Amino acid sequence: MTDKYMTIRYYWGRPKDVVRWYLRGTLYLSAQSRQSYIEKTKAEAGNLPRLLKLLDNLDEIFDTADNDSIALLCLRYVELLSIAETTKRTGLSAYQITSKIGKLMKEAKEIIAKA
């Protein structure tokens, strides 16, 4: 007999996958909106190529990141918290937070820079 409390269950899926698909959807909608604007106004492409490059390489970023780093990234940038607020919520030091987030942001920036 399996104890229901011993089994880890997620309502929407594994947290890493939920964040990945949410971000993928957000990036996709942003790219679609930008593309539509460019077509209607004949504007310059702007950041659209970089946005598409990031979207194409999203799996590469997520496959190399651990769940803690992704969770911290969400706290900092999705909820727009300061480092001080994030330290209070997580109990991690400011150095730990900036180090974990910095690695993910560096990967994303490198991919965008290649576009």
Side-chain angles (χ1 to χ4, degrees):
M1 182 173 195
T2 305
D3 186 355
K4 69 178 180 176
Y5 297 108
M6 294 181 73
T7 305
I8 298 173
R9 295 173 192 246
Y10 301 108
Y11 185 73
W12 291 294
R14 295 182 315 168
K16 192 175 200 175
D17 293 335
V18 171
V19 173
R20 180 191 318 226
W21 286 106
Y22 174 79
L23 187 55
R24 182 182 311 284
T26 301
L27 289 171
Y28 179 76
L29 290 174
S30 180
Q32 262 190 330
S33 174
R34 181 72 184 155
Q35 182 67 40
S36 176
Y37 175 78
I38 290 168
E39 289 171 1
K40 287 179 184 174
T41 65
K42 306 293 186 224
E44 295 292 318
N47 68 345
L48 183 60
R50 292 188 296 177
L51 184 61
L52 293 173
K53 182 76 171 179
L54 182 59
L55 190 55
D56 287 342
N57 290 282
L58 197 60
D59 287 333
E60 179 184 329
I61 294 170
F62 272 80
D63 289 344
T64 60
D66 61 49
N67 286 335
D68 289 345
S69 296
I70 292 169
L72 287 172
L73 185 70
C74 291
L75 277 172
R76 280 284 287 130
Y77 295 102
V78 175
E79 295 187 21
L80 301 175
L81 298 177
S82 68
I83 292 287
E85 289 171 313
T86 308
T87 59
K88 286 179 189 172
R89 288 189 185 201
T90 63
L92 297 173
S93 70
Y95 174 78
Q96 289 171 308
I97 292 166
T98 55
S99 175
K100 285 179 177 277
I101 291 172
K103 289 175 189 174
L104 276 177
M105 295 304 286
K106 182 180 177 192
E107 279 187 57
K109 286 177 184 178
E110 286 172 359
I111 288 169
I112 290 170
K114 291 177 188 175

